[in-house]
Amino acid sequence: MRQLRTDFPFEDAIFNRSAEEPTPKISVVIPVYNKAAAIQTTLESVTSQKLSVPFEIVVVDDGSRDQSGEIIRDLAQTDARIRYFFQENTGVSAARNYGVKQARGEWVVFLDADDLFLPGGLQELYQATTPPAYTTDIDFACANFLTHGGKPFLPKMKAQIITNGFRAWVLRLFFPRTGTFIFRRAQALKFPFDTKLKRYEDAKFLFDYFRTRKPIATSPVPVMIYREEFCTESKARDFEQDFLCELNFFGKSFWEKLALGGLLATGIRTYGPSVREHYIDFLIWAKFHEILRVLVRMQNSVLKRIAYLSRLLDHL
């Protein structure tokens, strides 16, 4: 059995590239933990991207004990854009945070180690940061993605500017997940992932950003494939390591409460009656969210009424 290598520095010296290489505009940050079965095709989906600006791939190996590290280092030897880092196992949040700190690009894209970029996906994300006829700076842009069977996750997603991320989340106007959004690095440093959390840490990250009310650009074009065959949906070992444990409804806007209600409904389905008892005073928001989700699936006439109602409630 291969022994875990621990004698090399945090970044392997052979992968410190020449300063003559162009400064990357985009950094794709990929945390890896025991993904030997998927990481090569994931990296190849990134290295094959055709982009109008330079980009790099920052891979943070979170203490893998399979062949992940060897696969990544072999690929890095033939592609200078791949930068490999190793850390003892401290979790995906810490790996992403370290990747952001090491990134040299103005923009950061997070990608899971078992998902795939579609051809042209990275260019589409970059172009989404400069929407036509919009003069305000964009710090965050989000696109669509494909699920199992090659179907767009949001078939009716539109190109638009979103000013209330919570409302857009609840109404399924967009659905940012790792691999579908691009984030200005300066903002990513302000909103690190919570290293205490082992599940739904990405939701907390996004909700923290939504609270700024900064404009978000969206594109209906799918940019990546979410590979469900590699997904291992599981509970956190400890409920306290799940963002569902620390949902805070106090002082939040109407739409944030609805978004939190959606997570609460998920928590009840995942953990059972204990979550219901934990949030007994806020169950109404979970019920309201589920009713609204049903309405969203209905006809356009209903959606127009919801959109009108959402504008009325936007300032609550």
Side-chain angles (χ1 to χ4, degrees):
M1 180 181 294
R2 183 181 71 88
Q3 296 296 314
L4 176 67
R5 183 183 176 192
T6 59
D7 59 334
F8 53 80
F10 202 91
E11 181 180 9
D12 233 336
I14 62 171
F15 304 125
N16 286 323
R17 304 299 184 178
S18 169
E20 297 178 359
E21 295 173 5
T23 301
K25 188 74 171 180
I26 300 172
S27 299
V28 180
V29 175
I30 306 177
V32 179
Y33 180 70
N34 292 346
K35 292 292 184 179
I39 186 59
Q40 180 164 340
T41 52
T42 294
L43 284 173
E44 289 173 348
S45 79
V46 185
T47 58
S48 63
Q49 293 291 307
K50 304 299 182 183
L51 203 59
S52 59
V53 294
F55 70 94
E56 66 175 357
I57 308 166
V58 179
V59 186
V60 182
D61 184 346
D62 189 37
S64 295
R65 295 187 176 274
D66 63 1
Q67 304 299 311
S68 297
E70 292 180 7
I71 294 170
I72 299 162
R73 290 195 294 272
D74 286 346
L75 291 171
Q77 286 181 317
T78 60
D79 195 320
R81 295 170 299 180
I82 300 175
R83 301 172 62 210
Y84 175 76
F85 298 84
F86 179 90
Q87 66 177 23
E88 295 300 328
N89 181 242
T90 49
V92 64
S93 294
R96 287 184 183 134
N97 291 342
Y98 189 82
V100 172
K101 290 178 181 178
Q102 295 300 318
R104 297 174 296 177
E106 178 185 355
W107 296 92
V108 170
V109 177
F110 297 111
L111 183 67
D112 287 347
D114 47 17
D115 291 333
L116 300 174
F117 268 131
L118 289 166
L122 202 52
Q123 179 68 26
E124 178 64 29
L125 277 176
Y126 181 62
Q127 289 178 338
T129 64
T130 54
Y134 193 76
T135 57
T136 302
D137 285 342
I138 293 292
D139 293 332
F140 187 110
C142 178
N144 211 342
F145 64 96
L146 300 182
T147 57
H148 185 67
K151 297 180 179 180
F153 183 73
L154 296 175
K156 297 182 179 180
M157 187 175 177
K158 299 178 180 178
Q160 60 182 310
I161 301 297
I162 289 171
T163 57
N164 188 325
F166 294 111
R167 181 180 65 187
W169 172 291
V170 170
L171 297 181
R172 283 295 192 264
L173 302 181
F174 77 150
F175 192 81
R177 56 159 291 115
T178 50
T180 69
F181 64 85
I182 186 168
F183 204 33
R184 204 179 291 272
R185 179 175 179 269
Q187 292 295 321
L189 290 170
K190 295 179 182 178
F191 297 94
F193 287 87
D194 190 334
T195 57
K196 301 189 304 297
L197 301 179
K198 303 298 182 184
R199 190 167 187 264
Y200 282 112
E201 74 287 337
D202 51 346
K204 183 179 187 302
F205 165 82
L206 289 167
F207 282 22
D208 287 345
Y209 183 74
F210 291 167
R211 219 167 283 126
T212 67
R213 292 289 188 110
K214 290 179 177 292
I216 298 171
T218 64
S219 166
V221 178
V223 297
M224 55 85 73
I225 302 174
Y226 172 53
R227 294 203 280 183
E228 294 174 287
E229 63 268 29
F230 288 103
C231 178
T232 54
E233 183 68 22
S234 63
K235 303 177 186 178
R237 293 193 182 101
D238 187 336
F239 179 51
E240 294 183 356
Q241 295 178 328
D242 195 318
F243 180 46
L244 299 177
C245 176
E246 56 179 59
L247 304 180
N248 182 5
F249 289 81
F250 292 103
K252 300 301 191 297
S253 69
F254 172 82
W255 286 104
E256 182 169 357
K257 288 178 180 177
L258 271 182
L260 291 170
L263 290 178
L264 176 52
T266 299
I268 293 171
R269 289 191 292 268
T270 302
Y271 292 99
S274 61
V275 175
R276 183 185 298 273
E277 295 171 6
H278 188 76
Y279 291 105
I280 191 67
D281 294 331
F282 304 103
L283 293 179
I284 185 63
W285 292 105
K287 295 177 181 179
F288 195 0
H289 177 273
E290 295 301 281
I291 292 171
L292 191 56
R293 284 293 304 279
V294 171
L295 293 176
V296 166
R297 296 189 186 102
M298 296 174 68
Q299 299 300 317
N300 288 335
S301 59
V302 176
L303 293 177
K304 289 178 181 178
R305 293 173 188 174
I306 293 173
Y308 174 71
L309 176 62
S310 72
R311 287 193 294 271
L312 293 179
L313 297 175
D314 193 28
H315 298 293
L316 295 181

